[in-house]
Amino acid sequence: NSSPRELADNHIANITVLSDVRAFLSRLKEAAATVTVDANWAEAIRSSRKDSNKTHEAAATSSDRPIHPLRLCLDVLRSLGEDDYLCIDGGDIYGWLETALNFWALEGRRIGGLVHSGPFDQLGTGVSFATAAKMNNPDSNVVLICGDGAFGLAPGLPPETAFHYDAPITIVVAKNLSWGMINRQQLAIWNREFMTSLRDVPYH
């Protein structure tokens, strides 16, 4: 941060840096070019991910209906080319996408970019993020995977800006009729749900 006050008041950090943000990021970019990754460490991470994937193998390959969210995320990822972009918005579906990325990345695949709201998990940003990605990359396909709860939080008529600027995006709404993560926590803790169910909306 460029303010000592903000460094003192903001999130606890292992390392605090007082700097102009542009200067810091420029220096960080230069330094990143010289970083090497230990091959043994990288292989240990790869092996750990492969072991983790085994617990989800059945869901990843299942042809059951309704489609499992892991299979949905994998199908979308595998449909994208190297210049395409994937956006994600949601809680429950976000978790499944992270698992899907472990499968997909080990297949050696690449895309142009992944756009999400970061560690703050601000729901309702997906359509605007996808629209911005498309406007910035007009020749790329941009796909948004969005939970039904998160889609309902998007302000106003969500795709209107995309329509207005002729920035066509594809929106895949993962519909579980609930605030999935909170719903399951309620069931696990209290064996009942409270105000976490959503109505059945025909998003298509």
Side-chain angles (χ1 to χ4, degrees):
N1 204 290
S2 57
S3 161
R5 171 74 182 265
E6 286 295 319
L7 281 178
D9 292 347
N10 213 325
H11 299 280
I12 297 171
N14 292 332
I15 300 171
T16 57
V17 179
L18 180 63
S19 171
D20 173 79
V21 176
R22 182 186 297 271
F24 174 75
L25 291 176
S26 296
R27 183 67 191 95
L28 199 64
K29 185 178 178 181
E30 292 171 13
T34 64
V35 173
T36 58
V37 175
D38 178 79
N40 293 328
W41 178 81
E43 185 52 42
I45 296 295
R46 192 174 292 110
S47 296
S48 175
R49 287 188 173 185
K50 285 179 180 177
D51 290 341
S52 176
N53 287 353
K54 290 175 184 175
T55 63
H56 299 291
E57 191 69 44
T61 57
S62 171
S63 57
D64 290 349
R65 293 292 181 266
I67 189 170
H68 192 282
L70 175 57
R71 174 69 189 272
L72 180 145
C73 291
L74 277 169
D75 285 356
V76 170
L77 278 165
R78 289 169 176 160
S79 75
L80 299 175
E82 293 196 357
D83 295 325
D84 297 335
Y85 286 77
L86 178 66
C87 302
I88 181 70
D89 187 7
D92 191 63
I93 196 65
Y94 191 113
W96 285 114
L97 176 69
E98 287 189 345
T99 302
L101 285 168
N102 281 341
F103 280 86
W104 173 83
L106 288 171
E107 296 171 0
R109 298 172 182 261
R110 295 177 180 272
I111 54 175
L114 176 65
V115 184
H116 57 90
S117 61
F120 297 110
D121 277 343
Q122 296 153 317
L123 303 183
T125 59
V127 177
S128 56
F129 283 13
T131 302
K134 180 65 178 179
M135 292 173 69
N136 198 49
N137 303 276
D139 296 327
S140 299
N141 292 314
V142 176
V143 178
L144 164 66
I145 299 177
C146 187
D148 49 356
F151 189 76
L153 285 178
L157 179 63
E160 177 57 31
T161 302
F163 295 149
H164 181 76
Y165 286 101
D166 192 24
I169 58 175
T170 301
I171 303 172
V172 179
V173 180
K175 189 168 81 169
N176 61 6
L177 304 179
S178 70
W179 291 100
M181 296 178 81
I182 302 169
N183 182 273
R184 279 201 299 281
Q185 288 171 0
Q186 290 176 340
L187 291 171
I189 296 170
W190 299 300
N191 199 32
R192 69 183 183 96
E193 58 181 281
F194 180 74
M195 301 298 287
T196 54
S197 295
L198 300 173
R199 66 188 182 90
D200 190 354
V201 177
Y203 295 100
H204 61 285

